């Protein structure tokens, strides 16, 4: 039985292409986080690198720079 290729799948699958491993940069600046930050996947705020927007907010809140009002009312 001949192999039948699904054009939807085969047009997106290229086994000859090499996968590029993400490059590790540093650990997240938020000290409560243990995530690693990779090139083109991190978030930068005032020269510091974070793994997500959530970690930026959490770090700024712990430094007293921002206040979380969602728990007040």
């Amino acid at each position: 039985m001949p192999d039948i290729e699904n054009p939807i799948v085969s047009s997106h699958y290229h086994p000859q292409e090499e996968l590029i491993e993400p490059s590790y940069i540093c650990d997240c600046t938020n000290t409560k986080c243990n995530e690693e930050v990779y090139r083109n996947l991190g978030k930068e705020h005032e020269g510091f690198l974070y793994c997500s927007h959530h970690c930026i907010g959490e770090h700024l809140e712990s430094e007293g720079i921002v206040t979380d009002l969602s728990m007040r009312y």
Side-chain angles (χ1 to χ4, degrees), residues 1 15-17 24 37-39 43 50 58-60 67:
M1 181 172 179
Q16 67 276 12
E17 292 181 11
Y24 169 80
V37 178
Y38 292 90
R39 185 172 311 285
K43 309 294 182 207
Y50 300 85
E58 192 174 74
H59 184 243
L60 294 176
T67 302

Side-chain angles (χ1 to χ4, degrees), residues 7-73:
I8 295 172
V9 175
S10 64
S11 67
H12 297 288
Y13 177 68
H14 305 283
Q16 67 276 12
E17 292 181 11
E18 288 188 36
L19 295 177
I20 299 171
E21 292 290 324
S23 300
Y24 169 80
I25 298 175
C26 64
D27 289 334
C28 183
T29 300
N30 182 2
T31 55
K32 295 179 182 177
C33 179
N34 293 321
E35 294 292 323
E36 298 175 338
V37 178
Y38 292 90
R39 185 172 311 285
N40 298 329
L41 298 176
K43 309 294 182 207
E44 185 269 334
H45 177 70
E46 295 185 353
F48 296 101
L49 294 174
Y50 300 85
C51 67
S52 67
H53 287 107
H54 174 78
C55 278
I56 294 171
E58 192 174 74
H59 184 243
L60 294 176
E61 185 179 354
S62 70
E63 294 289 315
I65 298 169
V66 298
T67 302
D68 182 6
L69 298 177
S70 65
M71 303 302 271
R72 286 196 166 186
Y73 303 100

